[in-house]
Amino acid sequence: MKQHKDRRYERYEIADSMWAQNPGQRDIASLIGMTKGQLGAIVRDKERYIRRDTIDINGKLRNLTVPTGKLRMVHERLKFQLNKIKQPPYLCSPRKGVGQRDNAEMHVAGHQLLKLDIRQFYPKTMQEDIWRWAHYSLGIMDDVAGLFAKLAAIDGRMPFGSPISPVLTSLVHRGMFDKVYAICGSHGLKMSLWVDDLTISGAEVPGGAVTDIRQAIRAGGFQTHKIEYLMTARPTEITGVPIAKGRVLAPHAIHRRIKEGYEALKVAASDTERSNIIDKLLSALGSYRYHLGSSTPEGRLAADRMQSLRQRRAKMTIVAETPQTLSSIQAVTFGAPDTLPWD
């Protein structure tokens, strides 16, 4: 897992945070740059600061409840403060500086994978759950926990569409995930969490461990679905990133972008078109290098190709600025790499 160099994030354990020091309503207000009265007014007029919408995500309709105006500002500032709490080692998202590749890399040494989703993770996290976490887990006074829960929840539940929801949901249900993590550890398994997607890996994921994990999640008030057992001998995707034979691979979409980019570059008719294609190729090659690793042979080769593209673009610009014919400008050739392993 990456180290968090930005000191604004993950400064202290939750027990050492301000949230565990029995803050009052004025303390909460001061933390986000407001007065107690201003927060009370926002709670009373909360309906003014909510936008509701419906979006299609992979064929599923999702109901959005998006905070706007003053409520949005409150959620952004609460998110910033909650992100200062140190996260457990299994959490990959929401987490500053940790990406999908990091999540996949945690499981490259495993032979068997178990992937499962938690059903209705945000909608089933109720305002009362937020209050209980603040009051019982952090020890915040009843009225202060109530104010916090009313500020965070929309329509009585964790809002799908608020910046505070990912980090707050992970904190509210940390007890449940800690139990799952302990179960995994007792069986010699690795676990990672990407929002509501759990990935568990090891030499073998025994059925008894799966039963205990699902029971712990049910005890936390949730159900699991989309349960998959996979083997890493063949390429397997974890949160969109493929792994196989002990390493992270680049997604096929990136291979396709590079291949199509070089093909387009061969037939480009103008410098402007070539320049735009090179920009896209540099982006795709950078993503490829990131996934394979900058120190791997493939990563170094991708870096060489990126440097070559930059030099050719610079040469193209110089040539274009000199009084030469169009035919001499078009004589600059762009060949696709011969040795990069595009699938």
Side-chain angles (χ1 to χ4, degrees):
M1 186 70 68
K2 292 181 179 179
Q3 294 296 317
H4 297 268
K5 296 180 180 179
D6 191 335
R7 289 188 169 272
R8 296 178 302 168
Y9 297 94
E10 300 197 22
R11 294 184 186 178
Y12 33 62
E13 300 292 343
I14 192 168
D16 299 322
S17 71
M18 181 281 298
W19 303 96
Q21 309 307 316
N22 197 18
Q25 291 188 0
R26 286 186 175 83
D27 296 318
I28 300 291
S30 177
L31 191 69
I32 56 179
M34 292 186 174
T35 66
K36 175 182 172 182
Q38 287 173 323
L39 288 187
I42 291 172
V43 169
R44 287 193 301 273
D45 299 332
K46 190 161 65 171
E47 195 62 31
R48 292 175 51 192
Y49 306 116
I50 299 170
R51 188 184 81 248
R52 295 176 177 82
D53 202 354
T54 303
I55 60 171
D56 188 319
I57 300 178
N58 300 323
K60 283 189 174 182
L61 293 180
R62 296 274 192 171
N63 295 319
L64 293 181
T65 46
V66 182
T68 63
K70 294 179 180 179
L71 184 60
R72 176 80 183 196
M73 181 172 61
V74 168
H75 281 207
E76 290 283 5
R77 292 178 180 177
L78 286 173
K79 169 193 169 184
F80 177 77
Q81 296 297 337
L82 291 172
N83 272 331
K84 294 179 181 179
I85 297 171
K86 288 184 178 180
Q87 297 285 10
Y90 57 78
L91 186 70
C92 290
S93 177
R95 198 166 194 176
K96 185 73 172 179
V98 180
Q100 290 171 300
R101 185 194 186 280
D102 303 293
N103 186 41
E105 190 174 30
M106 291 178 68
H107 302 283
V108 295
H111 295 290
Q112 187 176 46
L113 295 175
L114 170 69
K115 298 199 297 184
L116 52 86
D117 292 354
I118 298 175
R119 191 190 296 272
Q120 296 287 301
F121 192 41
Y122 285 0
K124 286 194 174 182
T125 301
M126 309 303 293
Q127 180 172 312
E128 183 179 355
D129 296 320
I130 301 172
W131 178 85
R132 286 180 178 276
W133 171 73
H135 183 59
Y136 292 111
S137 297
L138 298 181
I140 294 177
M141 290 181 293
D142 188 331
D143 63 320
V144 184
L147 174 64
F148 177 78
K150 289 175 184 176
L151 286 168
I154 296 178
D155 296 335
R157 65 186 71 239
M158 192 73 72
F160 188 81
S162 167
I164 197 179
S165 297
V167 63
L168 181 55
T169 309
S170 72
L171 289 168
V172 168
H173 300 296
R174 180 182 286 191
M176 177 182 73
F177 290 122
D178 283 349
K179 290 177 183 177
V180 175
Y181 185 61
I183 293 168
C184 291
S186 69
H187 289 274
L189 303 172
K190 288 189 175 182
M191 164 190 154
S192 69
L193 177 65
W194 187 272
V195 188
D196 57 356
D197 294 342
L198 269 171
T199 304
I200 295 159
S201 66
E204 180 184 7
V205 182
V210 179
T211 299
D212 291 344
I213 288 166
R214 297 188 70 192
Q215 177 57 41
I217 292 172
R218 282 195 294 272
F222 296 97
Q223 298 294 323
T224 54
H225 66 144
K226 298 181 182 178
I227 300 171
E228 292 182 274
Y229 282 97
L230 302 164
M231 305 301 291
T232 60
R234 302 182 64 181
T236 300
E237 283 196 357
I238 299 175
T239 52
V241 178
I243 64 170
K245 298 181 179 179
R247 65 180 305 191
V248 175
L249 305 176
H252 288 291
I254 294 176
H255 288 264
R256 187 169 59 251
R257 284 166 55 197
I258 295 172
K259 182 179 179 181
E260 292 174 353
Y262 273 105
E263 289 173 351
L265 203 52
K266 290 179 182 178
V267 298
S270 68
D271 288 345
T272 299
E273 188 178 355
R274 292 187 189 99
S275 181
N276 289 336
I277 293 169
I278 288 174
D279 286 343
K280 293 177 182 178
L281 266 172
L282 289 171
S283 173
L285 283 165
S287 296
Y288 176 86
R289 184 169 178 253
Y290 164 74
H291 280 86
L292 272 294
S294 59
S295 62
T296 63
E298 297 92 341
R300 290 193 293 270
L301 186 55
D304 291 342
R305 285 295 174 178
M306 292 172 72
Q307 180 62 19
S308 176
L309 284 169
R310 294 188 186 100
Q311 290 173 348
R312 291 179 178 184
R313 182 172 58 184
K315 182 178 180 181
M316 180 182 67
T317 303
I318 293 171
V319 170
E321 290 175 350
T322 59
Q324 297 185 17
T325 63
L326 180 61
S327 60
S328 65
I329 296 172
Q330 291 176 330
V332 180
T333 59
F334 300 88
D338 298 324
T339 51
L340 284 178
W342 312 133
D343 292 338

